[in-house]
Amino acid sequence: MNQLPGPVKAYFDASNEERLDSFLAAFNDDAYVFDDNREFRGIEEIRNWSKTDIFGAHVRFEITDATEHDGVYAVIASLDGDFDKTNLPSPFFLKHTFKLSGGKINELQVSLP
């Protein structure tokens, strides 16, 4: 997939550039995130999750694959940052599955590929 929709691209770009406000602007106010068996609902919970798990750890993503099926975008990205990498493969990949609504991220699920 050559072209990611704006909110998906913004998610990765803002993460890599450590721009929290731009990151949050990619989400609907009532968006849902499921990451590492934890659920985050609404922009304030997503803010707290991202400040700790993404921005606090200085996570950097490199997209390696992206597909779209029925309006759902699945992006595989390697990641690095200041987090415990004990027993993690190198490179370490995660799958981000995005559902959009109203031009923003409405749902994000982060999982192993």
Side-chain angles (χ1 to χ4, degrees), residues 13-94:
D13 289 348
S15 298
N16 289 343
E17 297 165 11
E18 296 196 24
R19 292 183 293 121
L20 177 61
D21 289 341
S22 297
F23 179 88
L24 293 172
F27 288 88
N28 283 326
D29 288 343
D30 60 350
Y32 168 80
V33 173
F34 183 81
D35 178 34
D36 195 25
N37 290 318
R38 298 171 298 157
E39 295 182 343
F40 306 93
R41 294 185 185 277
I43 205 71
E44 285 308 311
E45 287 187 15
I46 293 170
R47 176 190 308 275
N48 293 336
W49 161 74
S50 64
K51 284 173 78 172
T52 302
D53 288 26
I54 296 175
F55 296 101
H58 306 286
V59 170
R60 297 288 181 273
F61 295 103
E62 184 176 330
I63 296 172
T64 59
D65 190 34
T67 59
E68 182 271 335
H69 182 72
D70 290 337
V72 176
Y73 297 86
V75 179
I76 306 293
S78 65
L79 66 147
D80 197 5
D82 300 332
F83 55 89
D84 184 5
K85 298 176 183 94
T86 305
N87 297 323
L88 293 179
S90 181
F92 179 57
F93 294 94
L94 286 177

Side-chain angles (χ1 to χ4, degrees), residues 4-15 22-28 73 75 98-106 108:
L4 290 173
V8 174
K9 186 173 177 349
Y11 172 91
F12 291 105
D13 289 348
S15 298
S22 297
F23 179 88
L24 293 172
F27 288 88
N28 283 326
Y73 297 86
V75 179
F98 297 89
K99 293 181 181 176
L100 307 180
S101 176
K104 293 192 175 198
I105 299 166
N106 197 55
L108 166 61

